[in-house]
Amino acid sequence: MLYYVVTGILFLWNSVQDIKRRTLSNIGLLIGTVVIVLLFVANGLCSGTAAGIMLLQDDVPWQNLWGALPGAGILALSLMLKGSIGKGDGYLLCISGLALGLKQNLSILFYALFLAGGTAAVLLGLGKVKRDTKLPFVPFLLGGFVLTVLQQWM
């Protein structure tokens, strides 16, 4: 549950940053990463597992490393497309993947892509934006996070 709270705060904070500044704070991403890692270590210590061998067991933290793959894919796309997609979006997805795992992170990404595509289509149809207008993506990741949490709890 604490992983969801931390991830939600991270998405909310970075959504505001993305809307206002069109960039994500490296400090904010670093703090989020440190908090997630500390939660993993605390989880391992509280369960009687030494932090050093925690990742070698068939435990949640080890499985959650796979959760960073969607973010790594976004980072690769950002490099291939020369910045058309923000690197911060990829870093944020890596962090959320570490916290929530692959299944939830893929769900967040797919919901976000659906929401962003729908919003862009509506805005284009209304003539509010042009084809080359860049929309901040992190607010859609926040929406995807909320939908993923609601889906899981229902």
Short mmCIF file of all heavy atoms in Angstrom, two decimals, residues 8 19 30 105 111-112 129 137 141:
data_model
loop_
_atom_site.label_atom_id
_atom_site.label_comp_id
_atom_site.label_asym_id
_atom_site.label_seq_id
_atom_site.Cartn_x
_atom_site.Cartn_y
_atom_site.Cartn_z
N GLY A 8 1.95 7.47 -6.24
CA GLY A 8 0.92 8.47 -6.53
C GLY A 8 1.42 9.88 -6.29
O GLY A 8 1.19 10.79 -7.11
N ILE A 19 3.40 20.11 -16.48
CA ILE A 19 2.47 21.11 -17.00
C ILE A 19 3.07 22.51 -16.91
O ILE A 19 3.03 23.28 -17.87
CB ILE A 19 1.13 21.05 -16.25
CG1 ILE A 19 0.40 19.74 -16.59
CG2 ILE A 19 0.25 22.25 -16.59
CD1 ILE A 19 -0.81 19.46 -15.72
N LEU A 30 15.10 11.72 -8.37
CA LEU A 30 16.09 11.09 -7.50
C LEU A 30 15.51 10.79 -6.12
O LEU A 30 15.70 9.70 -5.58
CB LEU A 30 17.33 11.98 -7.37
CG LEU A 30 18.44 11.45 -6.48
CD1 LEU A 30 19.02 10.16 -7.05
CD2 LEU A 30 19.54 12.49 -6.33
N ASN A 105 2.74 -1.46 -14.18
CA ASN A 105 3.40 -0.42 -14.95
C ASN A 105 2.95 -0.44 -16.41
O ASN A 105 2.74 0.60 -17.01
CB ASN A 105 4.91 -0.54 -14.84
CG ASN A 105 5.60 0.80 -14.93
OD1 ASN A 105 5.05 1.83 -14.57
ND2 ASN A 105 6.82 0.78 -15.42
N TYR A 111 -3.00 2.75 -20.31
CA TYR A 111 -4.05 3.72 -20.01
C TYR A 111 -3.61 5.14 -20.39
O TYR A 111 -4.38 5.92 -20.94
CB TYR A 111 -4.43 3.70 -18.53
CG TYR A 111 -5.42 2.62 -18.14
CD1 TYR A 111 -5.17 1.77 -17.07
CD2 TYR A 111 -6.62 2.46 -18.83
CE1 TYR A 111 -6.07 0.79 -16.69
CE2 TYR A 111 -7.53 1.47 -18.46
CZ TYR A 111 -7.24 0.65 -17.40
OH TYR A 111 -8.16 -0.32 -17.03
N ALA A 112 -2.36 5.47 -20.07
CA ALA A 112 -1.85 6.81 -20.37
C ALA A 112 -1.83 7.06 -21.88
O ALA A 112 -2.21 8.15 -22.35
CB ALA A 112 -0.45 6.99 -19.78
N VAL A 129 -5.37 22.55 -30.91
CA VAL A 129 -3.94 22.28 -31.07
C VAL A 129 -3.65 21.93 -32.52
O VAL A 129 -4.56 21.59 -33.28
CB VAL A 129 -3.46 21.14 -30.14
CG1 VAL A 129 -3.59 21.49 -28.69
CG2 VAL A 129 -4.18 19.85 -30.45
N PHE A 137 3.06 14.60 -21.02
CA PHE A 137 2.60 13.21 -20.92
C PHE A 137 2.40 12.75 -19.48
O PHE A 137 1.59 11.85 -19.23
CB PHE A 137 3.59 12.29 -21.64
CG PHE A 137 3.11 10.88 -21.79
CD1 PHE A 137 1.97 10.59 -22.49
CD2 PHE A 137 3.82 9.83 -21.22
CE1 PHE A 137 1.52 9.28 -22.64
CE2 PHE A 137 3.39 8.52 -21.35
CZ PHE A 137 2.23 8.25 -22.06
N LEU A 141 0.05 9.89 -17.45
CA LEU A 141 0.56 8.79 -16.62
C LEU A 141 -0.14 8.79 -15.26
O LEU A 141 -0.45 7.73 -14.72
CB LEU A 141 2.07 8.92 -16.43
CG LEU A 141 2.94 8.60 -17.65
CD1 LEU A 141 4.40 8.94 -17.38
CD2 LEU A 141 2.79 7.15 -18.05
#
